[in-house]
Amino acid sequence: MEPMRRVALTLLLGVAAGCRDQSMAPGVGQTLTRPSLSTSASAMCPATATLTVSDDAGLRAALAASSPGDVIAISGMIGITADDTIATDSVTLTCATPGSGLFAVGTDIVGDLVAVLARQVTIDGLVLDASGAFDAAIFVFNDGLTGFAEDDRFTNNTITCGPESLCIFVAGGPRTFIANNQAVAFGAISGLHLQAGVDGTRVLGNTIVAATPSGSSAFGGLRVRDGRGVVVTGNSVLGPWTNSVAPTHLATSRFAFNRLEGARSFGISMSRNAGVLQLMTDDVFQNNQVTSEGFAAVIARQACRNTFVWNSLEGRGAASGSFSTPRRAPTSSSATRRSSWTTVPSTATTMG
């Protein structure tokens, strides 16, 4: 499908942002356990498949003719010359042998290696080289009109994303499950990028590495926005991302046991946004290890009743700190900080 073009330049504009009462956050004291997920992609492939394909034409035909429940296995690395689309519910795309997958032939020909428009789709155990694609390795879309993605699963994949692209782009798609993937970015605009209605999404045990400086000013290795009850746990976001994690417009969500290291600006950058007022409310940041080489480990903007507890925060850059706020924020305890301040409007964009 035609990829969504994005403009992500932002201009700072000081506009006061107030906080209103909303539902309570998850309890800080409730027991948390580390996810029992490996941070390396799985080499396991299913013993049986509905169909095994080994070339571009065969894959496209298999996806077009698929029925719910089909398991389509890829044998070897297939070079593709156009976006592949999964529009049938409950289809699994996986490997026939370890190391199998897809790569974009040429540059600026393929937008997305795989576009997911359906429900309960699984992509597992593939090598997805999108270094020649100009949008994403996996694009997930739900607008209720042409795309209906929800409850999809992306697990155990090894992903490469190139300049000005994304590794995984979820636009809509509630309850998406993204786990145990390895992603390496070379100048990507964003890593795992989720927006526009991602309630109940879980992002668990992924390793997201910037091999070269990557991420725009508002984005980073993990960009998550526009959802409630989102869980981001046990991930490693490493290398010179502009920001390791850039959440905005989330409520009652949890970021826990993540390792965030090497950001050029902030380890956690809250509500740096391409839109208008986008509050972070009633979210919990717990047991994260955050190290920034830039300004601060954490900057919190447009934030109300968010809880930071048992995190290790360190800013290593010149004139850096551990926790930054654009204005002095009231602090209810040494572990909890609440604040409200500026909004960051910009040009209209399809990716924020």
Side-chain angles (χ1 to χ4, degrees):
M1 65 178 294
E2 180 66 17
M4 299 176 70
R5 295 291 186 173
R6 303 171 303 274
V7 178
L9 298 177
T10 59
L11 299 174
L12 287 174
L13 179 65
V15 179
C19 299
R20 293 177 295 179
D21 288 340
Q22 296 191 21
S23 59
M24 294 299 293
V28 175
Q30 73 182 63
T31 302
L32 284 180
T33 58
R34 294 178 182 273
S36 57
L37 296 170
S38 167
T39 55
S40 60
S42 170
M44 301 297 292
C45 301
T48 59
T50 307
L51 185 66
T52 299
V53 297
S54 57
D55 58 35
D56 190 14
L59 173 60
R60 193 159 293 112
L63 292 175
S66 61
S67 299
D70 281 356
V71 177
I72 300 171
I74 293 173
S75 178
M77 286 296 293
I78 297 177
I80 64 172
T81 56
D83 301 22
D84 284 311
T85 299
I86 301 178
T88 303
D89 293 346
S90 303
V91 166
T92 295
L93 186 64
T94 187
C95 54
T97 55
S100 297
L102 305 174
F103 67 93
V105 174
T107 56
D108 290 335
I109 298 173
V110 176
D112 308 293
L113 296 184
V114 184
V116 177
L117 309 181
R119 305 171 180 87
Q120 298 180 341
V121 168
T122 297
I123 298 178
D124 177 75
L126 293 178
V127 175
L128 300 173
D129 184 353
S131 55
F134 58 82
D135 197 54
I138 299 173
F139 173 53
V140 183
F141 186 57
N142 184 338
D143 64 351
L145 298 172
T146 59
F148 305 94
E150 60 182 53
D151 298 300
D152 299 311
R153 299 174 62 88
F154 310 110
T155 53
N156 305 310
N157 301 291
T158 300
I159 299 169
T160 303
C161 43
E164 301 303 313
S165 68
L166 306 93
C167 299
I168 297 178
F169 181 15
V170 179
R175 299 176 302 281
T176 301
F177 183 76
I178 303 175
N180 282 358
N181 300 284
Q182 289 187 353
V184 179
F186 294 86
I189 193 171
S190 197
L192 306 188
H193 190 105
L194 298 84
Q195 67 174 52
V198 292
D199 291 4
T201 286
R202 291 178 290 164
V203 182
L204 311 178
N206 301 281
T207 299
I208 309 155
V209 179
T212 60
S214 297
S216 77
S217 61
F219 305 154
L222 260 171
R223 170 66 162 176
V224 189
R225 59 168 289 185
D226 308 328
R228 300 180 64 88
V230 175
V231 176
V232 178
T233 304
N235 302 281
S236 294
V237 184
L238 311 174
W241 291 101
T242 302
N243 308 293
S244 297
V245 174
T248 187
H249 200 206
L250 297 177
T252 60
S253 295
R254 183 180 295 275
F255 293 75
F257 296 111
N258 298 292
R259 177 188 171 199
L260 313 176
E261 183 176 305
R264 291 174 292 142
S265 293
F266 302 101
I268 299 173
S269 178
M270 297 169 64
S271 295
R272 182 71 183 271
N273 187 29
V276 290
L277 182 63
Q278 300 285 336
L279 291 179
M280 291 284 294
T281 54
D282 301 309
D283 303 299
V284 172
F285 295 80
Q286 182 171 347
N287 290 96
N288 299 289
Q289 296 182 0
V290 187
T291 303
S292 169
E293 302 298 328
F295 301 114
V298 176
I299 184 168
R301 309 175 183 88
Q302 299 186 49
C304 300
R305 302 181 307 276
N306 296 285
T307 300
F308 289 80
V309 61
W310 302 315
N311 298 285
S312 173
L313 307 178
E314 182 180 1
R316 292 179 176 174
S320 67
S322 294
F323 200 108
S324 176
T325 61
R327 295 179 186 170
R328 180 178 295 276
T331 303
S332 61
S333 74
S334 61
T336 305
R337 306 185 184 219
R338 304 181 179 118
S339 50
S340 63
W341 45 85
T342 58
T343 186
V344 187
S346 78
T347 55
T349 173
T350 58
M351 187 180 79

